[in-house]
Amino acid sequence: MAELQLTPPRKERLADKLYGQILEQILNGAFKEGDRLPAENDICSAFSVSRPVVRQALIRLQADGLVYSRRGSGTFVRAVPPSAITRFVLPSNVAGYLKSFEVRFALEAAAASLAAERRSSQNLHNLDEANELLREKIMNGQSPSEADFNFHREVAVASGNDLFVSLFEHLRGEISGSMGVALNLTKLGSDERRIAVLREHQQIVEAIRARNGEHAALYMRYHLVRARERITDAQRDP
Amino acid sequence: MAELQLTPPRKERLADKLYGQILEQILNGAFKEGDRLPAENDICSAFSVSRPVVRQALIRLQADGLVYSRRGSGTFVRAVPPSAITRFVLPSNVAGYLKSFEVRFALEAAAASLAAERRSSQNLHNLDEANELLREKIMNGQSPSEADFNFHREVAVASGNDLFVSLFEHLRGEISGSMGVALNLTKLGSDERRIAVLREHQQIVEAIRARNGEHAALYMRYHLVRARERITDAQRDP
Amino acid sequence: MAELQLTPPRKERLADKLYGQILEQILNGAFKEGDRLPAENDICSAFSVSRPVVRQALIRLQADGLVYSRRGSGTFVRAVPPSAITRFVLPSNVAGYLKSFEVRFALEAAAASLAAERRSSQNLHNLDEANELLREKIMNGQSPSEADFNFHREVAVASGNDLFVSLFEHLRGEISGSMGVALNLTKLGSDERRIAVLREHQQIVEAIRARNGEHAALYMRYHLVRARERITDAQRDP
Amino acid sequence: MAELQLTPPRKERLADKLYGQILEQILNGAFKEGDRLPAENDICSAFSVSRPVVRQALIRLQADGLVYSRRGSGTFVRAVPPSAITRFVLPSNVAGYLKSFEVRFALEAAAASLAAERRSSQNLHNLDEANELLREKIMNGQSPSEADFNFHREVAVASGNDLFVSLFEHLRGEISGSMGVALNLTKLGSDERRIAVLREHQQIVEAIRARNGEHAALYMRYHLVRARERITDAQRDP
């Protein structure tokens, strides 16, 4: 069985640090899909922390879909993020990107639902344009990160509630970063993956056009879950 | 039938302005529960705007639960906010407060669910303390607004994702304002209303204590819907 | 520490049987709030079953809010249902009642949301009448179980989709049973509890009246969660 | 503008009848995408019914995604179901199939979430087998309707709550019918459509395997929304 190579930290936020170190070793292939992580006690010793810290880190890795635990048998690596990811992002940033998805699930699903209810013809026009620009960037192999940010920002604008726009822009750093990673991976990926990304955006637009708030929220959540899995899981395609 | 007294504006954001003017006349009693608003065409003329602007304003009033429309018969006032509200807030600010609830529904329900999953003993301890402080303020008739903000902030902290805290603080202005209004109304209200506010906070804490994420999100949404209705609707008690 | 008194079964559905036996001992006070259940291995031996069976039963008790588990420290009793419950129901039936709530959360929240969208004036009239009848029964101390069933059935009818009615009636046995228990406990309980039950029904009606589907679903879920907790948890009042 | 050809009925359930007649004329091409339906008053006269009946029928057509209404301008045909549909189903049955989706959204999303929490290894094994059988049927061009029903039934079984199974079987008639239509349309459709159907089922299985209840519910809802749109909307592919 593989051994975790751990360096005891000096600083606070121990669980975050531990999360980052384990993530890094999953990213660089030291732990592979199906591998069992060391027992909690062993991680405690190796990392010089108490059990609550270890549990916190494991819960986060589990919430991020990187490991799963079986009652009584331990914690296992669920999926290895694509090694290509390391070309675009420091492992230590991945945690931040994944964290931004938790906020986006909540915020953007609500914004999409309201956008379907309230969007003006002008909002719809802007969404169509943003979507078209994104399509061109992706099909031409150009960096689509800004176009993607702009598309999601237009959904927030169409909600008619400017607080959604303001919060979305407050998250610009994390969101742009994670979009850059996800879309760069898409660029490297198969045609099927590119088409999936475009289809997901199109479904959001169509639900907003049809004024179907429930579907708009559903398609937004689906898109974000898929985008997140495109970062954490190379195997699942598209 | 009552007549809307409308002043044509010179500035942008016409729908927002129109929303504010109609709201003001509901607040000051010119339109009462069950009154029909003038036809869209008449509002267009009176306010010198096009129909899309009028529709946008009506949709917002409807979304805020202040009016309802019956297909083919028009738009009616649903509930008159308590006149006491005007002691604490300018009608022109009410719209902003109501808008903040839309964001909070999404953000705080997600934070509560994650808090139930991930909260440490320390998080729970802080929540209990924040809740106890809120109880004292309300029972002693002191301004509970800061204690309320702090309680909700502790839920965000317990989510283990600092982006929830950061966004929540970004909304501090709107949230504190709406809390001030809601809680001042509570102070003026019946004992039953005070007890309802405390029970709602307690239910959130208990669900987080029991690590039940689904219930934590449900109780948070319920609390926010009730808090919002305590602002827009004097009749429903508690 | 208390000891579980277990009788090895001869029949199938071992996890169900085990669930029932543990529940019974929580109901009759052999295990109290905060007590730790024996280790999984010990339950395996005492009940002559394999670990997956024990885990299945524990997961169900946890899902039913009767126990909670702390990673690494074991499983603890969360709340003792009111002893009064045993006047109205065999412990072996409680599991079935609790199970029916899982289905009702899904089914009735969806029906309430559609009812808000589609209800006719006649539907609303029938709902008001059913609600009024329920109020009388509860205030007069008569058995409200049939009136309660009828209220919830009217919500399903107002959804405009007769499959909701048909499924609801398919569950009549379990639902009536659990209503009988919950409402009998309410009758025994405080005035505050009675008022809470009536307020919850009223909130559902008001959201359907106001054609607010999101609120109707929320109030229905809240009501069902509270009703369920009135069965499993005597301490929380109302 | 096209004219609705309407025959006044003698029987009850007028809104249902009216829904069926309008649907039929959309299905047979008398009304095309973007066409405006006659005004409510004109439908009242042509069908000899009161306005509430007409509104009820229009709300249902809107809920089913077949028409949309613009405040003040009328009701328009949103999407024409594929004409191929008439090979497999009487227009008068389509309404029933669409109705079953409303129930399934609620019921199966809840079952999928619980399945992710509680599934045993045996449940997972059965799901994998049911999924594999469905894949073979679809790839070999055989009727996949029974295999599809069986897949969804296994999800209900894995929820560990037999009431989900019992309700699902209670709906067997409507569900099998709608599956037959949707999957026959898939058989006629593009490879891309077939692959989409298989991918959607696979995503549900993977979320249940990973014990991710939130994702399992999301993927189930997404699948059912897509399946429903494959019936009502020929243009959207896949």
Side-chain angles (χ1 to χ4, degrees), chain A residues 13 56 59-60 63 99-100 102-103 106-107 110 114 118 160-164 166-167 170-171 174, chain B residues 13 56 59-60 63 99-100 102-103 106-107 110 114 118 160-164 166-167 170-171 174:
Chain A
R13 290 183 175 272
Q56 191 69 14
I59 285 171
R60 290 285 285 283
K99 226 157 49 170
S100 74
E102 285 185 352
V103 177
L107 216 54
L114 293 170
R118 301 181 187 159
N161 182 336
D162 48 17
L163 294 177
F164 282 105
S166 156
L167 291 187
H170 191 65
L171 293 171
E174 285 84 359
Chain B
R13 291 185 174 271
Q56 190 70 14
I59 285 171
R60 291 283 287 281
K99 226 157 48 171
S100 74
E102 285 185 352
V103 177
L107 216 52
L114 294 171
R118 301 181 188 160
N161 182 336
D162 49 17
L163 294 177
F164 281 105
S166 156
L167 291 187
H170 190 65
L171 294 170
E174 286 83 359

Side-chain angles (χ1 to χ4, degrees), chain B residues 164-180:
Chain B
F164 281 105
V165 184
S166 156
L167 291 187
F168 192 69
E169 290 187 337
H170 190 65
L171 294 170
R172 184 187 280 267
E174 286 83 359
I175 290 175
S176 292
S178 62
M179 279 174 173

Side-chain angles (χ1 to χ4, degrees), chain A residues 39-41 44 51-52 54-56 58-59 62 69-75, chain B residues 211, chain C residues 36-40 51 58 62 68-76:
Chain A
E40 287 186 8
N41 276 334
C44 289
R51 277 186 92 142
V54 174
R55 271 169 215 153
Q56 191 69 14
L58 293 178
I59 285 171
Q62 199 171 346
S69 79
R70 301 294 320 247
R71 205 197 260 254
S73 17
T75 301
Chain B
R211 300 196 174 282
Chain C
R36 186 162 68 174
L37 294 186
E40 287 186 8
R51 278 185 91 141
L58 293 178
Q62 199 171 346
Y68 60 95
S69 79
R70 301 295 320 247
R71 205 195 258 251
S73 14
T75 301
F76 299 84

Side-chain angles (χ1 to χ4, degrees), chain B residues 96-149:
Chain B
Y97 297 161
L98 297 182
K99 226 157 48 171
S100 74
F101 277 104
E102 285 185 352
V103 177
R104 294 180 68 195
F105 287 145
L107 216 52
E108 297 200 52
S113 170
L114 294 171
E117 259 178 59
R118 301 181 188 160
R119 57 97 180 149
S120 65
S121 311
Q122 184 63 46
N123 292 142
L124 191 59
H125 177 77
N126 295 348
L127 259 176
D128 275 331
E129 280 204 341
N131 193 29
E132 188 48 37
L133 191 62
L134 178 63
R135 176 182 307 274
E136 281 167 26
K137 296 282 188 193
I138 288 181
M139 295 322 272
N140 297 343
Q142 297 170 291
S143 168
S145 175
E146 195 187 325
D148 193 15
F149 186 86

